[in-house]
């Protein structure tokens, strides 16, 4: 049981390049989230999904797109990277119906845009 | 909308001393409250949570927090810290309904000095 995994762990992009971050969970969780972490700002929600085939915008969605084609995977895409997207990205997942409301986090992806 | 304020960005303490990390929140409706810990170069791990019931909540690693509805606070405490408690701590809230998106505070960096 690997929990929540994220690929890649590190990436350096040039301005204007594109990339996709992959989040995978093996806990059969319904809800999945993408956050970005910046110094002094905590974590901010980018997009989230409440089930396979559904996505919704969070607090800071501009410049990002997401897809949830399979229940266990949640992809975060940057179509044209900008230096402002330099950040650490965390994926999280949560099971519904259990009453504990805990989100389980992946180890993070450190992205630098030059 | 909900918001979370962590009143101290950095807290240095000596080993075996007590510590309190302060968290205040703002919400017009009832929320659930969480404390997460992030050790260096890792993802976030749940320390404790308040959903209902007793306002004093005990978590892992000897931490506890007290929910104070009138003060809208959820301060984290530990009576005696260890070097291994060096980490960043995040307070977060979520609504009882909907997708239970987490809203995080800015984080408090706890540094334990020998």
């Amino acid at each position: 049981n690997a929990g929540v995994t994220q690929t890649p762990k590190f990436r350096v992009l040039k301005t204007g390049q594109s990339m996709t971050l992959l989040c995978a969970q093996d806990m059969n969780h319904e809800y999945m989230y993408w956050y970005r972490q910046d110094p002094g700002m905590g974590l901010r929600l980018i997009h989230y999904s409440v089930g396979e085939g559904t996505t919704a915008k969070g607090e800071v969605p501009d410049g990002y797109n997401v897809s949830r084609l399979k229940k266990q995977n949640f992809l975060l895409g940057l179509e044209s990277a900008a230096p402002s997207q330099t950040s650490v990205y965390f994926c999280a997942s949560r099971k519904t119906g259990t009453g504990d409301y805990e989100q389980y986090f992946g180890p993070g992806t450190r992205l630098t845009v030059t | 909308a909900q918001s979370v304020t962590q009143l101290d960005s950095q807290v240095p303490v000596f080993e075996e001393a007590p510590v309190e990390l302060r968290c205040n929140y703002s919400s017009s409706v009832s929320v659930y409250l969480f404390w997460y810990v992030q050790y260096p170069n890792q993802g976030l791990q749940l320390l404790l949570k308040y959903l209902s019931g007793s306002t004093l909540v005990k978590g892992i690693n000897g931490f506890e927090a007290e929910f104070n509805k009138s003060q809208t606070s959820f301060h984290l405490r530990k009576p005696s810290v260890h070097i291994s408690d060096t980490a960043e701590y995040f307070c977060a809230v979520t609504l009882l309904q909907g997708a239970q998106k987490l809203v995080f505070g800015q984080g408090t960096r706890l540094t334990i000095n020998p």
Side-chain angles (χ1 to χ4, degrees):
Chain A
N1 191 335
V4 180
T5 57
Q6 293 182 232
T7 309
K9 290 185 169 50
F10 303 94
R11 186 71 187 269
V12 178
L13 286 180
K14 294 187 187 304
T15 297
Q17 288 184 321
S18 64
M19 78 164 295
T20 300
L21 283 66
L22 170 63
C23 174
Q25 52 94 4
D26 61 2
M27 298 175 284
N28 201 34
H29 287 176
E30 290 81 10
Y31 287 11
M32 296 187 75
Y33 310 83
W34 274 108
Y35 296 90
R36 60 177 289 173
Q37 182 182 23
D38 302 292
M41 302 186 75
L43 279 77
R44 293 177 293 167
L45 183 66
I46 306 171
H47 286 282
Y48 65 98
S49 168
V50 300
E52 182 178 324
T54 73
T55 62
K57 293 180 180 180
E59 182 186 356
V60 289
D62 293 343
Y64 305 95
N65 57 74
V66 287
S67 64
R68 183 116 181 255
L69 299 179
K70 294 182 179 181
K71 185 177 184 180
Q72 62 268 34
N73 296 337
F74 194 29
L75 279 64
L76 178 70
L78 286 72
E79 289 187 349
S80 180
S84 60
Q85 294 178 303
T86 292
S87 187
V88 182
Y89 292 85
F90 287 99
C91 176
S93 69
R94 187 174 80 78
K95 187 154 188 64
T96 60
T98 60
D100 71 357
Y101 300 97
E102 178 179 354
Q103 290 188 19
Y104 295 80
F105 284 80
T109 294
R110 187 174 295 275
L111 175 65
T112 302
V113 183
T114 62
Chain B
Q2 303 74 46
S3 66
V4 178
T5 302
Q6 291 183 241
L7 297 158
D8 305 292
S9 59
Q10 296 187 64
V11 174
V13 295
F14 288 107
E15 196 172 14
E16 297 184 8
V19 70
E20 178 180 80
L21 306 184
R22 297 179 293 168
C23 172
N24 285 95
Y25 70 93
S26 172
S27 177
S28 58
V29 297
S30 296
V31 294
Y32 295 141
L33 296 134
F34 305 81
W35 275 99
Y36 280 84
V37 59
Q38 184 181 31
Y39 298 106
N41 300 312
Q42 294 187 27
L44 277 71
Q45 178 183 359
L46 182 68
L47 264 182
L48 49 78
K49 62 192 174 195
Y50 174 78
L51 304 182
S52 64
S54 172
T55 56
L56 183 63
V57 180
K58 294 191 184 299
I60 61 171
N61 301 339
F63 283 92
E64 63 181 31
E66 185 151 21
F67 170 56
N68 187 319
K69 189 173 183 178
S70 63
Q71 305 276 344
T72 60
S73 68
F74 191 52
H75 300 334
L76 181 70
R77 302 186 183 99
K78 186 169 182 178
S80 176
V81 295
H82 303 283
I83 293 285
S84 59
D85 292 322
T86 295
E88 189 147 21
Y89 292 79
F90 292 95
C91 182
V93 303
T94 186
L95 291 179
L96 279 62
Q97 307 300 327
Q100 279 94 36
K101 298 170 284 184
L102 284 171
V103 175
F104 285 88
Q106 302 90 329
T108 297
R109 186 169 299 277
L110 177 63
T111 304
I112 312 300
N113 299 305

